[in-house]
Amino acid sequence: MGLNEYIDIFLAVFTGFFSLIVVFGRNPVVCALSLLMSFIGFAGIFFQLGSVFLTTIQVLVYAGAIAILFIFVLMLINTSHYKYSQTKKSINPVLGTIFTFILLGGFTLVINNNIDYLNVDRLPTTSMKVLFVDLFNKYLLPFELATVLILVAIVASVVISNKRGEK
Amino acid sequence: MQGELIEILLKTAVVLGVPLGVIPLIVHVERRGAAFIQKRVGPNRVGLFGIFQPLADVVKFLFKEEVVPAHVLKPLYILAPILTLVMAILPFAGIPICEPFMLGARKVYPEIFRSDLGVFYVFATTALGSYGILIAGWASNNKYTLLGSIRACAQMISYELSLSITLVALFFLYGTVDLHEIVRQQNASFFGFLPTWGVFYQPVGCLLFLVAIFAESNRLPFDLAEGESELVAGYHLEYSSMKFALFFMAEYLHMIVLSALFVLLFFGGYNLLPGFGLIVDMIPQSLPLFQFLSLFFKVALMIWFFVWVRWSIPRFRYDQLMNLGWKRLLPLGIANLMVTVLYVYWKG
Amino acid sequence: MSLLPFLVLVIIGLTLGVLLLSISQILGEKQKNPRPHDIYESGMDPVGNALKRYDIKYFLTGILFLLFDVEIVFLFPWALTYKDSANKELMIAEFLFFMAILLVGYLYVLFSKSLKWDD
Amino acid sequence: MMEIYYYLAIFLFCLGLLGTLIKKDLISILLCVELMLSSVNLLFALFSKAIGVPDGQLQVFFVIIVAAAEAAIGLSLIITLFKKVKSGYSEDVLILSE
C-alpha cells in the first residue's frame, strides 16, 4: 500500500463524499458547489490514471465553465422560496431507490466477476501527442461534427434566452 | 517519501515564500507609486521611506475584531476567503523559476508540481479563481455584494476567452506545453542582438494577453467589481479585518502569477539578463540563482506596469468593459490566430 | 508524476488561511454587547429581500462563455500536433473548416444583438 | 490497484440516477445528470486503461463536449421556463398548457 494507493483512496472518498452532498443536499447552491468539488475530484482521478489531457479538459470545461453556469443560474433564480420545496412529496422516492439498488447490485456483480481482467494496467501513461494523433486521424469526422453540435447549441441558447416577445 | 516531502517543502518555501514576502513591498510600491504619479509624497512616516507602513497594516488587520454579521450564511462566509487564498496559491506550483539543474546525480525540476500539464496547469487553476468571488458574493446575502460578485465573475470569464485564444496561437508556434521547452526556445537571438522572445513572434497576442491579465486580476481599468463609486465595495463588502486581508492577498498573488506567466511566455522567462551572463561564467553553480533573479526582475517590472496603469487610466463603464471583451478582443484573437496559422503554413 | 505536491500545496494553503483567521480571532478584542449587525447598505436601512432576480444578460454571458470555451478546447490539441503532423494540408483544411463554424456561431451572436450591456 | 475507481464509478452513476429520481427542482435534476455523465466518463477512462487502447479517452473528450452543450441548452430552457411558470418544481411544470 504505497503512496499512490493512499492518494487513490483519498480521491475516491473525496469525490464520493461531495457527490453524496449533491444528491442529498438541502440548499441547491450548496449542491452546485459540492458538484464543483466532485468535478475537481474527477480531475484528480484522471490525473492518477495518467491521462493528462483529460485532466485539463475536466478542469477547464466542467469545473471552469459548467459549474459556474449552474451557480449563475442558482443565483439568478430567487431561491429563497426553495426552502419549503422539500415539503412537497417527490414523485417516486420508494420506487426510485429500489430500482437504483437493483441496478447497483447488477453492476457490482458484473465488475466482480471479471475484476482480474479489468484491474490490469495495460496503458500506463498516454502522452498527449499519442492521443491527439489519433484524434485527428481516426476521429476526424466526429471532431468536425462536434463543432457543428456546438454551433447548434450556440444558436439554440441565444434564441431560447431572449424570446422575440421580450425584445 | 520523506526526501520527496522535504524537497516539496523547500521548493514551496522559495516559489511561494518569495511572493508572500513581497506582497507588503508591492502594497508599499503601489502607494508610493500612486503618490509619485500624483506628485505627492505618500506614506513616509513609519520607518525609512515608510517601508514599514504595510507591516503596520498587517498588524492592524490582525488586531481588528472579527465581525461576522448576523445575516450571512456563516459556513460559506468563512469558507470564501480561505477558498480564494487557496485558489490564488495553487497556480504557483506550475511556475518554473529556473532551469532543471543537476543535484548530484538527480535532475531536479524547480517547479513544485512537475507534470506533463505545464501551461495547462497554471491556466486551469487561474480559471478556477472566480469561485471564491462568487461564494463571497452569495454568502454575504447582500444585494450589492451579489451584484458585484456576478459582475466580477462575468468579466473574468469573458476575458478568459481571449486569454485562451492567445494561448492556442502560442502553442501553435511553440508546439509544446512544457514551460521549460518554451523558455529554451526563446533563448536564441534574431540577427545577433535581439532575443527571440515570444513578443516578437506574437506582438498582437502579447497585447491581448496583457489586457486579459488586467481583466483577470480585476485591476484598474477593469476593477469594476470593487468599483467604489457604484457598488460601495463589491463582493468583499461584508468582510472586515483579516478576512478582507485574505481577499487582498489573493488579488496580489493572482496578479503575480499572471504576470509571471506573461513573462515566461512572452519575455523569455528566466533567461539570463544581459549583465548576468558574465557573472555566471565565473561561478557556474550560480546559474539557477541568477535565472531566478532575472525572472524576479522582469516580474517586478510587470508589477510596476500594473501600478503605473492603475493610476493613469480611468475606469471603464461596465458595458464598455464587456463590449471590449466580447466584441473587440475576441475577434482580434481569432484574427491573430488565423494570420499566424496561415503565415506559418504559407512560409513553412 | 504523482499528485503529492499538489495535495501538499492545498494543505499549505488551507493551513495558512485557517491560521491567519484563527490568530485574528484570538487577538481581535471582542465587543462587550455586540449590536445586531444589519446588512451594510452604506448607512441606509436595508430595502427588500437581498436575493431579488437579475436580468438575463449575465446568464447569457455564462452560456456563451461555456460554448466558446469548448470550441477553444478543441483547438488546443490541434495546435499541439500541427508541428509534427504528417500531412499539413489535412490539418490546415480541418482548421479552416473549424474556424468557419466558429465564426458563423460568433457572427450569429453578434448580429442577434443579444450581447448588449448598455442597460 | 484500480478496482476502487470501478466501484466508485458505479456508485456515483447509481447515486446520480437516484438523485435524478428523487430530486424535485429542475436544476438539481440537471446537477445529478451531470454527475451521471461524469461517472460514465470515469468508466470510459478506466476501460481504455484496462484494454490498453487510447480511444476510450477520446470518447471522454466527446462526452464532455455533449455534456457542455446539454448543460447550456438545459439551463436556458430552465431560465425561460422559470420566468413563465414562476417556480422550479418539476410538478408545476407538468401543466405546460397555461
Side-chain angles (χ1 to χ4, degrees), chain A residues 56-67, chain C residues 66 69-70 73, chain D residues 64-65 67-68:
Chain A
T56 341
I57 318 175
Q58 175 80 6
V59 173
L60 278 179
V61 174
Y62 258 121
I66 294 182
Chain C
L66 165 62
D69 201 21
V70 167
V73 161
Chain D
I64 285 180
I65 288 154

Side-chain angles (χ1 to χ4, degrees), chain A residues 3 27 29-30 33 36-37 40 47 52-53 55-56 59-60 62-69 71-72 74-77 79 127-129 132, chain B residues 1 4 73 76 83 87 113-117 120-121 123-125 127-128 130-131 134-135 137-138 146 149-150 153-154 157 160 175-177:
Chain A
L3 169 70
N27 180 345
V29 177
V30 170
L33 288 174
L36 159 72
M37 298 312 279
I40 293 174
F47 186 83
V52 170
F53 182 59
T55 321
T56 341
V59 173
L60 278 179
Y62 258 121
I66 294 182
I68 282 192
L69 203 56
I71 295 176
F72 259 29
L74 285 170
M75 281 189 178
L76 280 180
I77 290 181
T79 54
S127 80
M128 287 210 221
K129 294 284 166 37
F132 297 158
Chain B
M1 236 286 275
E4 213 179 304
L73 313 167
L76 282 181
L83 192 75
M87 291 297 177
F113 179 51
R114 168 71 191 158
S115 69
D116 294 352
L117 285 167
F120 278 150
Y121 172 79
F123 180 52
T125 23
L128 291 178
S130 45
Y131 279 107
L134 270 178
I135 299 174
W138 170 265
L146 190 61
S149 67
I150 288 186
C153 197
I157 56 180
E160 222 179 279
T176 160
V177 177

Side-chain angles (χ1 to χ4, degrees), chain A residues 8 23 25 39 49 57 62 81-82 85 88 97 100 107 112 118-119 122-124 126 138-139 160 166, chain D residues 1-3 5-7 10 12 14 18 23-25 34 38 49-50 55 57 61 67 80 83 89:
Chain A
D8 285 350
V23 175
F39 283 158
L49 295 180
I57 318 175
Y62 258 121
H81 69 279
Y82 264 43
S85 77
K88 280 200 177 175
T97 38
T100 324
F107 284 157
N112 262 342
L118 289 174
N119 204 359
R122 293 181 179 78
L123 189 73
T126 56
K138 243 175 359 181
Y139 290 90
I160 293 170
E166 214 195 12
Chain D
M1 180 266 295
M2 287 197 299
E3 69 277 359
Y5 288 145
Y6 283 106
Y7 295 124
I10 312 167
L12 291 188
C14 296
L18 186 66
K23 278 280 180 179
K24 285 187 276 303
D25 48 343
E34 289 296 328
S38 311
K49 246 176 115 65
D55 296 12
Q57 292 169 14
F61 178 70
T80 329
K83 269 194 285 196
Y89 317 138

